[in-house]
Amino acid sequence: MQYNTTSVKNRQQQGFFGQCLFQWFNLVVSLAVFVLMGPHLDCNAFSQRYSPRYELYKHEFKTVIPSSSLHSSLGNHESQEVDQSTPSWRSMDPATDVDNGKKKKKKNGFDDSFIREGLENDMMLSTPMPTSEALHKQTMEGKQPTLCSQDQNLLNRRVVLGPKEVLIYDTSLRDGTQGESVCLSCDDKLKIASKLSSFNVDYIEAGWPGSNPKDAEFFSRAKVELSPMTRSKLVAFGSTRRKNIDAKDDPQIQKLVESGAGTICMVAKGHLWQVKEIICAKPEENLKMIEDSVSYLVNLGKTVFVDLEHFFDGYKFDKEYSLKCCKAAVGAGASGLVLCDTNGGSMPWEVGTITADIVAEFSNVTVGIHAHNDCGMAIANSVVAAKNGAGLVQGTINGIGERTGNADLCSIIPTLALHVRSKVSCMENLCNITSLSRFVDETMNRQPNSAAPFVGASAFAHKGGLHVAAMERSPKSYQHIDPGLVGNEKRVLISELSGRQNIMGKVKDLGGYADNLISDDVASERALAILNRVKHLESIGYTFEGAEASVDIMILHATKGYCRPFTVLDYAAQVFETNLVPELRNLSFDPRMDGGKHKYGATARATVTVRTIDVLETNNEQRDVGDKGALPYTDRLEVSDGNGPVDALAGALKRALVPSHPSLANLELIDYKVRILDPESATAAATRVMIEFQDKETERTWTTVSVDRNVISASLNALVDGFEYALIEHASVCALCDDFFD
């Protein structure tokens, strides 16, 4: 068969001319549409609509960004204003992929480059990306580059729906510091931010850089002192622009930009009455303030959450206006709406219903909850909001905050993870939440709340004898979770309300059964005797709930095979004073007064004689009582001066014992409390002394107690118990009991 090649060429030419004619026709139509409709197109609205979604498209079309222009090792993850003179940050054909710097054609036959080019061009209208030259210029000028990490951008842009998954947003460093007696230095805030990051919360609201120099300093130092991971979690807090001013001209908004944070949380009024009466703005102006502020920051590449202040009260006052505030924020590109129970007066059923309404109305953004604890409902409101679709929970560690505090993340996180079964990013670190709670309290110089759920010292403490007996059979009988899941521990308290099982539990904890020191029958008999003694001592003023070390010592003294590692044979304490000048007797006395010629104020001196095991030093080697020729014990007398008689006694006792027990060198007294038990007895009143000790090496703490009508005697007894408790783990051979000579 012969083919007519001429007709084939003619058909090819006709097809070519037909394609050209079709392309020219499309061009003419496009020009006509542009001429007719161009004046009516709102390019700014178009760019505002699409620029918040740009980051997602950037990850979808990875060929857009050349690898040479991404300096992933530069650290910070936020975007800044860049040199707009650069014509384009794209340097490759969008129809190719990057593979080791080389172009590689698409494997499939479909060419979607025109789609991606259109999207890229649309995005370029409002979100220019920094070139490699611009990033290099920032680095050379000593500026911290602010390119957002891709992972964090994906987290910020996606919609999270509770209770299946909940993002944890910590505001301890901003809202928490508004609590009474809470004050943090910049160094403290940096330490806590690092701790929160290692615990793996999703967001760390670090401060309001536009409100005070300390927060501005924090963000400046964070760029160089915090890890890239921690920096990626930082959030800068601020408010919408002021009335009748452009967002770009508002100084506090510029401070947000200068902070370098990639995520901004912006507070806005969501209550019509608050708008009219408190900030004295027109309702329409408040909506413009929200829209302008959010769109300005979004167009700079920031992720923006909007805290709608007084939202629940505002929703009940005027639902339509509160919804308009939400629409203004979402329409401007906000990634999240945070519903605030600012006055803390909303009930859980109200929070649940309103949150569900907002989640259904605005399904394209993450809805969050910010609750205050004025009615004691902050934790409940946060959990109920998550159950009704809120995908982000704001709160503080230990519930610190203004007035009665914020929602306590130390309760919310375990509740969501263990009871609601929500996916939380810090689930793997849940066992560290107790240590995180105590670290924050310690850094803020606050006394920990022993009754705090999950993390408090009393959270898993059992006192009633009936309860303890049940716990011996099954820990589930009086505990909702295993304490170890949150890094806490079960405690059995000893008091006049205790039963025999309380004492038996303490004996087991001390290892009596494990070491076969006590049989069940003997342990039960001795436990009853110890229990009766505890009840008697508490009837005369002792309290053992906060002094468990004294209970342990009491139990050990009733245990066969245990003997005290030392005995105090006698002691004396005296206080003397010279040059009595009453007006100079104060804590701020300067010892350099009078050139140091005279000593003002009281001085105490104590003498202590102890009997303890002897350690002979020969050729720099220690030889204990087991060596031949060594004496079984020694009597040692020491003297010490101190600021008071108790301080002097502690110093003398430590001097006498350290040569034989070197581990006591790490012992220190960290707290000393005295309480008068019967004030009506005046100076003859019984006093209860509680002393807290700490091992500086292990940071382990314990407390002892004693009661006496002589405060010095009570103090010494508590000191002796504390020193003896410190030696339990180090005791090996007892040289002070008859068994040694057998």
Side-chain angles (χ1 to χ4, degrees), residues 66-139:
S67 59
S68 60
S69 66
L70 287 180
H71 293 249
S72 59
S73 61
L74 292 178
N76 209 351
H77 309 290
E78 306 84 34
S79 61
Q80 282 181 336
E81 293 184 28
V82 297
D83 185 5
Q84 307 242 359
S85 62
T86 304
S88 174
W89 54 273
R90 291 183 292 116
S91 60
M92 59 177 292
D93 183 356
T96 61
D97 278 334
V98 176
D99 185 11
N100 298 326
K102 298 180 180 181
K103 296 181 179 180
K104 183 176 67 175
K105 291 294 181 181
K106 288 286 185 179
K107 293 182 180 180
N108 56 35
F110 178 70
D111 183 8
D112 61 353
S113 62
F114 69 95
I115 299 176
R116 289 179 288 133
E117 284 183 343
L119 287 171
E120 294 160 24
N121 291 333
D122 291 341
M123 296 307 106
M124 287 302 98
L125 292 175
S126 58
T127 314
M129 291 295 292
T131 62
S132 57
E133 292 80 11
L135 289 172
H136 179 70
K137 182 179 180 181
Q138 290 179 12
T139 306

XYZ file of all heavy atoms in Angstrom, residues 66-139:
573
model
N 14.103 26.423 44.257
C 15.379 25.752 44.038
C 16.064 25.480 45.359
O 16.043 26.310 46.256
C 16.171 26.765 43.195
C 15.546 28.084 43.493
C 14.111 27.815 43.764
N 16.667 24.315 45.465
C 17.281 23.928 46.721
C 18.401 24.879 47.103
O 18.714 25.050 48.267
C 17.821 22.493 46.624
O 18.767 22.398 45.571
N 19.041 25.497 46.116
C 20.142 26.396 46.421
C 19.700 27.642 47.141
O 20.503 28.326 47.761
C 20.861 26.804 45.119
O 19.941 27.470 44.257
N 18.388 27.960 47.077
C 17.927 29.195 47.712
C 17.375 28.967 49.093
O 16.972 29.890 49.756
C 16.839 29.853 46.855
O 15.688 29.041 46.835
N 17.318 27.704 49.553
C 16.814 27.428 50.889
C 17.983 27.127 51.813
O 18.641 26.107 51.670
C 15.853 26.225 50.853
C 14.492 26.507 50.227
C 13.664 25.244 50.257
C 13.785 27.623 50.957
N 18.254 28.028 52.731
C 19.348 27.810 53.673
C 18.762 27.209 54.936
O 18.474 27.909 55.900
C 20.046 29.140 53.983
C 20.774 29.701 52.792
N 22.131 29.761 52.721
C 20.306 30.189 51.608
C 22.496 30.301 51.549
N 21.401 30.569 50.877
N 18.535 25.905 54.914
C 17.841 25.271 56.036
C 18.646 25.337 57.320
O 18.119 25.158 58.399
C 17.540 23.811 55.699
O 18.735 23.121 55.416
N 19.951 25.572 57.220
C 20.760 25.591 58.424
C 20.816 26.947 59.087
O 21.498 27.123 60.084
C 22.196 25.167 58.074
O 22.746 26.090 57.146
N 20.071 27.924 58.544
C 20.186 29.272 59.084
C 19.400 29.469 60.361
O 19.525 30.483 61.010
C 19.742 30.302 58.032
C 20.677 30.396 56.826
C 20.129 31.398 55.838
C 22.081 30.772 57.251
N 18.501 28.553 60.710
C 17.935 28.603 62.046
C 16.517 29.065 62.123
O 15.618 28.272 62.054
N 16.280 30.366 62.282
C 14.932 30.823 62.616
C 13.989 30.573 61.456
O 14.390 30.439 60.313
C 14.969 32.308 62.973
C 13.883 32.680 63.936
O 12.996 31.874 64.206
N 13.943 33.890 64.461
N 12.688 30.604 61.747
C 11.708 30.096 60.806
C 10.644 31.104 60.460
O 9.555 30.741 60.100
C 11.045 28.862 61.407
C 12.039 27.874 61.888
N 12.827 27.148 61.055
C 12.411 27.543 63.143
C 13.612 26.361 61.765
N 13.375 26.599 63.032
N 10.893 32.356 60.630
C 9.879 33.341 60.321
C 10.299 34.116 59.081
O 11.454 34.135 58.696
C 9.704 34.332 61.484
C 9.419 33.669 62.805
C 10.670 33.217 63.510
O 11.684 33.892 63.377
O 10.623 32.190 64.165
N 9.354 34.812 58.438
C 9.645 35.561 57.235
C 9.723 37.037 57.544
O 9.035 37.551 58.401
C 8.566 35.298 56.183
O 7.320 35.703 56.659
N 10.637 37.734 56.850
C 10.810 39.158 57.011
C 10.560 39.843 55.686
O 10.415 39.212 54.645
C 12.243 39.473 57.458
C 12.509 39.226 58.940
C 13.931 39.589 59.277
O 14.800 39.584 58.404
N 14.182 39.927 60.520
N 10.564 41.200 55.704
C 10.515 41.926 54.456
C 11.852 41.728 53.725
O 12.918 41.747 54.315
C 10.293 43.416 54.745
C 8.930 43.699 55.347
C 8.677 45.178 55.533
O 9.240 45.969 54.769
O 7.935 45.518 56.437
N 11.787 41.524 52.441
C 12.987 41.241 51.677
C 13.117 42.246 50.559
O 12.230 43.046 50.292
C 12.937 39.804 51.096
C 12.903 38.790 52.216
C 11.713 39.634 50.222
N 14.242 42.198 49.879
C 14.526 43.101 48.782
C 13.593 42.799 47.616
O 13.725 41.785 46.941
C 15.999 42.920 48.365
C 16.380 43.931 47.287
O 15.528 44.792 46.961
O 17.512 43.859 46.800
N 12.648 43.708 47.378
C 11.644 43.475 46.348
C 12.165 43.827 44.953
O 11.449 43.690 43.966
C 10.385 44.300 46.662
C 9.867 44.050 48.068
C 8.479 43.466 48.055
O 7.911 43.273 47.000
N 7.953 43.178 49.221
N 13.398 44.311 44.884
C 13.943 44.624 43.560
C 14.284 43.371 42.777
O 14.451 43.404 41.568
C 15.203 45.485 43.723
O 16.185 44.770 44.440
N 14.428 42.241 43.495
C 14.703 40.990 42.795
C 13.490 40.600 41.966
O 12.391 40.482 42.489
C 15.009 39.883 43.822
O 16.090 40.323 44.642
C 15.378 38.587 43.137
N 13.647 40.407 40.666
C 12.477 40.183 39.814
C 11.724 38.912 40.143
O 10.522 38.868 40.056
C 13.075 40.115 38.411
C 14.507 39.748 38.623
C 14.907 40.383 39.915
N 12.401 37.842 40.518
C 11.716 36.591 40.789
C 12.623 35.707 41.613
O 13.841 35.751 41.487
C 11.355 35.867 39.487
O 10.812 34.596 39.770
N 12.017 34.914 42.502
C 12.813 33.971 43.269
C 12.806 32.601 42.629
O 13.333 31.656 43.175
C 12.294 33.887 44.714
C 10.845 33.574 44.835
C 9.827 34.464 44.820
C 10.259 32.287 44.971
N 8.643 33.815 44.940
C 8.856 32.484 45.043
C 10.747 30.987 45.041
C 7.970 31.437 45.174
C 9.862 29.952 45.181
C 8.482 30.175 45.244
N 12.150 32.440 41.501
C 12.186 31.182 40.773
C 13.306 31.224 39.754
O 13.451 32.187 39.023
C 10.860 30.935 40.045
C 9.712 30.656 41.001
C 8.423 30.352 40.242
N 7.939 31.527 39.544
C 7.845 31.622 38.239
N 8.238 30.623 37.491
N 7.384 32.716 37.674
N 14.081 30.179 39.684
C 15.218 30.160 38.758
C 15.252 28.873 37.954
O 16.307 28.418 37.560
C 16.524 30.312 39.553
O 16.666 29.254 40.467
N 14.088 28.289 37.739
C 14.082 27.051 36.983
C 12.751 26.913 36.268
O 11.770 27.567 36.590
C 14.302 25.857 37.917
C 13.232 25.737 39.008
S 13.463 24.302 40.026
C 13.096 23.027 38.831
N 12.718 26.035 35.293
C 11.499 25.749 34.541
C 10.537 24.994 35.442
O 10.867 23.929 35.961
C 11.865 24.889 33.320
C 10.637 24.618 32.440
O 9.527 25.033 32.822
O 10.814 24.000 31.374
N 9.322 25.509 35.664
C 8.403 24.820 36.572
C 7.985 23.447 36.100
O 7.370 22.704 36.847
C 7.208 25.770 36.655
C 7.293 26.625 35.440
C 8.731 26.732 35.105
N 8.263 23.110 34.862
C 7.893 21.776 34.372
C 8.961 20.741 34.664
O 8.911 19.635 34.175
C 7.636 21.827 32.868
N 9.991 21.112 35.447
C 11.069 20.184 35.772
C 11.174 20.034 37.269
O 10.719 20.856 38.040
C 12.415 20.686 35.207
O 12.712 21.947 35.811
C 12.355 20.834 33.714
N 11.850 18.983 37.693
C 12.127 18.744 39.103
C 13.608 18.965 39.349
O 14.431 18.887 38.431
C 11.777 17.301 39.499
C 10.296 17.170 39.770
O 9.687 18.195 40.141
O 9.774 16.050 39.603
N 13.948 19.231 40.612
C 15.347 19.388 40.976
C 15.867 18.068 41.507
O 15.288 17.492 42.414
C 15.493 20.484 42.052
C 16.944 20.566 42.503
C 15.049 21.821 41.477
N 16.941 17.615 40.937
C 17.570 16.386 41.409
C 19.073 16.608 41.392
O 19.725 16.533 40.357
C 17.169 15.205 40.512
C 17.712 13.893 41.031
O 18.205 13.883 42.175
O 17.644 12.907 40.289
N 19.629 16.916 42.601
C 21.056 17.222 42.709
C 21.453 18.383 41.800
O 22.522 18.375 41.186
C 21.912 15.992 42.380
C 21.660 14.871 43.359
O 21.411 15.135 44.547
N 21.707 13.638 42.892
N 20.593 19.373 41.697
C 20.916 20.558 40.921
C 20.668 20.418 39.443
O 20.873 21.344 38.683
N 20.191 19.254 38.963
C 19.969 19.039 37.538
C 18.485 19.013 37.245
O 17.662 18.634 38.067
C 20.609 17.724 37.094
C 22.126 17.698 37.279
C 22.680 16.360 36.826
C 24.196 16.316 37.010
N 24.751 15.019 36.556
N 18.120 19.422 36.040
C 16.726 19.368 35.617
C 16.382 17.952 35.165
O 17.156 17.295 34.493
C 16.475 20.348 34.461
C 16.671 21.800 34.858
C 16.384 22.731 33.682
C 16.561 24.176 34.079
N 16.295 25.093 32.958
N 15.195 17.535 35.586
C 14.730 16.217 35.199
C 13.298 16.336 34.720
O 12.448 16.876 35.410
C 14.809 15.257 36.389
C 14.418 13.840 36.056
C 14.620 12.931 37.233
C 13.680 13.269 38.351
N 13.786 12.323 39.465
N 13.018 15.834 33.536
C 11.692 15.943 32.952
C 10.688 15.107 33.739
O 11.038 14.102 34.340
C 11.708 15.476 31.482
C 12.479 16.425 30.556
C 11.777 17.778 30.449
C 12.533 18.708 29.495
N 11.880 20.018 29.400
N 9.458 15.552 33.731
C 8.386 14.801 34.373
C 8.258 13.414 33.739
O 8.360 13.273 32.520
C 7.056 15.546 34.235
C 6.959 16.784 35.105
C 6.752 16.379 36.549
C 6.521 17.612 37.405
N 6.290 17.293 38.794
N 8.018 12.431 34.556
C 7.859 11.086 34.026
C 6.531 10.916 33.316
O 6.416 10.193 32.354
C 7.985 10.063 35.167
C 9.392 9.994 35.758
C 9.465 8.943 36.834
C 10.877 8.867 37.416
N 10.987 7.850 38.464
N 5.484 11.553 33.815
C 4.202 11.390 33.147
C 4.112 12.341 31.968
O 4.867 13.282 31.837
C 3.044 11.619 34.134
C 3.131 12.991 34.800
O 3.556 13.957 34.181
N 2.717 13.065 36.067
N 3.162 12.098 31.121
C 3.060 12.893 29.904
C 2.265 14.161 30.073
O 2.215 14.980 29.163
N 1.599 14.317 31.230
C 0.750 15.476 31.405
C 1.572 16.666 31.868
O 2.287 16.595 32.861
C -0.338 15.164 32.434
C -1.235 16.345 32.714
C -2.137 16.790 31.750
C -1.161 16.994 33.931
C -2.955 17.863 32.020
C -1.972 18.072 34.189
C -2.876 18.515 33.237
N 1.501 17.755 31.138
C 2.260 18.955 31.467
C 1.345 19.904 32.238
O 0.451 20.525 31.664
C 2.768 19.622 30.178
C 3.624 20.850 30.489
O 3.921 21.063 31.694
O 3.973 21.566 29.545
N 1.558 19.988 33.568
C 0.724 20.858 34.387
C 1.449 22.146 34.750
O 1.094 22.823 35.695
C 0.299 20.132 35.672
C 1.491 19.724 36.516
O 2.625 19.895 36.045
O 1.276 19.265 37.652
N 2.499 22.482 33.992
C 3.294 23.662 34.342
C 2.480 24.936 34.279
O 2.687 25.854 35.075
C 4.513 23.761 33.415
O 4.083 23.917 32.068
N 1.514 25.007 33.306
C 0.744 26.238 33.193
C -0.121 26.448 34.433
O -0.363 27.568 34.851
C -0.126 26.211 31.929
C -1.264 25.213 32.001
C -2.529 25.618 32.405
C -1.063 23.880 31.662
C -3.570 24.702 32.466
C -2.105 22.977 31.735
C -3.359 23.372 32.128
N -0.571 25.344 35.092
C -1.346 25.473 36.334
C -0.458 26.008 37.441
O -0.795 26.947 38.150
C -1.927 24.116 36.738
C -2.858 23.590 35.648
C -2.655 24.205 38.071
C -3.409 22.200 35.937
N 0.733 25.399 37.550
C 1.616 25.812 38.627
C 2.145 27.212 38.416
O 2.311 27.980 39.353
C 2.773 24.802 38.764
C 2.279 23.466 39.327
C 3.376 22.455 39.452
N 3.785 21.963 38.141
C 5.030 21.856 37.750
N 5.986 22.223 38.536
N 5.327 21.394 36.554
N 2.428 27.581 37.164
C 2.890 28.932 36.894
C 1.829 29.949 37.264
O 2.109 31.004 37.830
C 3.277 29.070 35.415
C 4.613 28.415 35.080
C 4.983 28.637 33.626
O 4.079 28.996 32.850
O 6.145 28.466 33.288
N 0.572 29.608 36.997
C -0.504 30.524 37.356
C -0.608 30.692 38.862
O -0.740 31.798 39.383
N -0.500 29.565 39.591
C -0.559 29.643 41.040
C 0.623 30.423 41.595
O 0.488 31.238 42.496
C -0.569 28.226 41.631
C -1.872 27.442 41.462
C -1.663 25.995 41.894
C -2.977 28.087 42.280
N 1.808 30.174 41.019
C 3.004 30.868 41.490
C 2.871 32.368 41.273
O 3.184 33.173 42.145
C 4.238 30.342 40.759
C 4.572 28.880 41.078
C 5.454 28.272 40.008
O 6.150 29.056 39.334
O 5.415 27.063 39.836
N 2.404 32.732 40.099
C 2.258 34.157 39.811
C 1.243 34.811 40.734
O 1.428 35.932 41.199
C 1.837 34.355 38.348
C 2.947 33.977 37.379
O 4.126 34.056 37.729
N 2.584 33.544 36.183
N 0.126 34.088 41.011
C -0.860 34.624 41.940
C -0.246 34.821 43.318
O -0.464 35.841 43.969
C -2.057 33.679 42.058
C -2.874 33.643 40.767
O -2.722 34.587 39.968
O -3.635 32.671 40.573
N 0.541 33.861 43.748
C 1.143 33.957 45.069
C 2.173 35.084 45.132
O 2.344 35.742 46.138
C 1.834 32.630 45.452
C 0.888 31.455 45.573
S -0.505 31.761 46.659
C -1.790 31.960 45.419
N 2.860 35.313 44.049
C 3.885 36.342 44.039
C 3.309 37.739 44.214
O 4.013 38.661 44.591
C 4.686 36.298 42.717
C 5.626 35.114 42.614
S 6.827 35.053 43.964
C 6.047 33.899 45.042
N 2.021 37.895 43.934
C 1.421 39.217 44.094
C 1.516 39.700 45.524
O 1.625 40.889 45.772
C -0.058 39.171 43.667
C -0.322 38.958 42.181
C -1.822 38.809 41.962
C 0.224 40.108 41.358
N 1.460 38.760 46.496
C 1.394 39.197 47.883
C 2.435 38.556 48.792
O 2.653 39.030 49.879
C 0.021 38.875 48.461
O -0.230 37.494 48.354
N 3.096 37.493 48.379
C 4.014 36.801 49.266
C 5.343 36.528 48.576
O 5.624 35.412 48.169
C 3.401 35.469 49.743
O 2.054 35.719 50.152
C 4.171 34.899 50.910
N 6.175 37.543 48.393
C 7.485 37.325 47.792
C 8.376 36.529 48.728
O 8.371 36.745 49.934
C 8.024 38.751 47.612
C 7.315 39.550 48.654
C 5.963 38.941 48.792
N 9.117 35.616 48.174
C 9.999 34.792 48.985
C 11.426 35.318 48.866
O 11.827 35.841 47.828
C 9.954 33.340 48.507
C 8.633 32.656 48.778
S 8.319 32.481 50.538
C 9.577 31.290 50.953
N 12.214 35.178 49.938
C 13.569 35.695 49.905
C 14.458 34.903 48.953
O 14.380 33.685 48.897
C 14.040 35.542 51.351
C 13.182 34.467 51.916
C 11.875 34.580 51.218
N 15.287 35.596 48.247
C 16.261 34.935 47.374
C 17.439 34.477 48.200
O 17.633 34.893 49.342
C 16.754 35.908 46.291
O 17.406 36.991 46.947
C 15.591 36.440 45.467
N 18.255 33.626 47.613
C 19.445 33.172 48.323
C 20.374 34.343 48.601
O 21.053 34.396 49.629
C 20.170 32.101 47.493
O 20.509 32.615 46.209
N 20.407 35.334 47.671
C 21.239 36.511 47.892
C 20.737 37.310 49.084
O 21.525 37.823 49.889
C 21.264 37.392 46.640
C 21.983 36.777 45.431
C 21.097 35.774 44.704
O 19.898 35.723 45.015
O 21.619 35.040 43.852
N 19.408 37.411 49.209
C 18.844 38.176 50.323
C 19.148 37.507 51.653
O 19.496 38.159 52.637
C 17.338 38.334 50.141
N 19.017 36.157 51.682
C 19.328 35.436 52.904
C 20.799 35.574 53.265
O 21.161 35.755 54.426
C 18.961 33.960 52.747
C 17.461 33.649 52.720
C 17.250 32.192 52.353
C 16.824 33.966 54.042
N 21.661 35.509 52.250
C 23.091 35.661 52.496
C 23.397 37.060 53.021
O 24.211 37.236 53.931
C 23.868 35.399 51.207
C 25.359 35.572 51.372
N 26.117 34.692 52.110
C 26.213 36.525 50.899
C 27.381 35.080 52.074
N 27.459 36.188 51.356
N 22.697 38.067 52.474
C 22.897 39.443 52.923
C 22.499 39.591 54.384
O 23.189 40.244 55.170
C 22.080 40.397 52.047
C 22.272 41.863 52.409
C 21.451 42.736 51.479
C 21.627 44.220 51.835
N 20.815 45.083 50.937
N 21.379 38.957 54.787
C 20.953 39.011 56.180
C 22.017 38.415 57.089
O 22.331 38.970 58.146
C 19.639 38.245 56.366
C 18.432 38.906 55.727
C 17.186 38.082 55.923
O 17.168 37.146 56.709
N 16.129 38.436 55.211
N 22.564 37.275 56.673
C 23.568 36.613 57.491
C 24.823 37.464 57.624
O 25.390 37.606 58.706
C 23.933 35.243 56.882
O 22.737 34.493 56.704
C 24.879 34.487 57.800
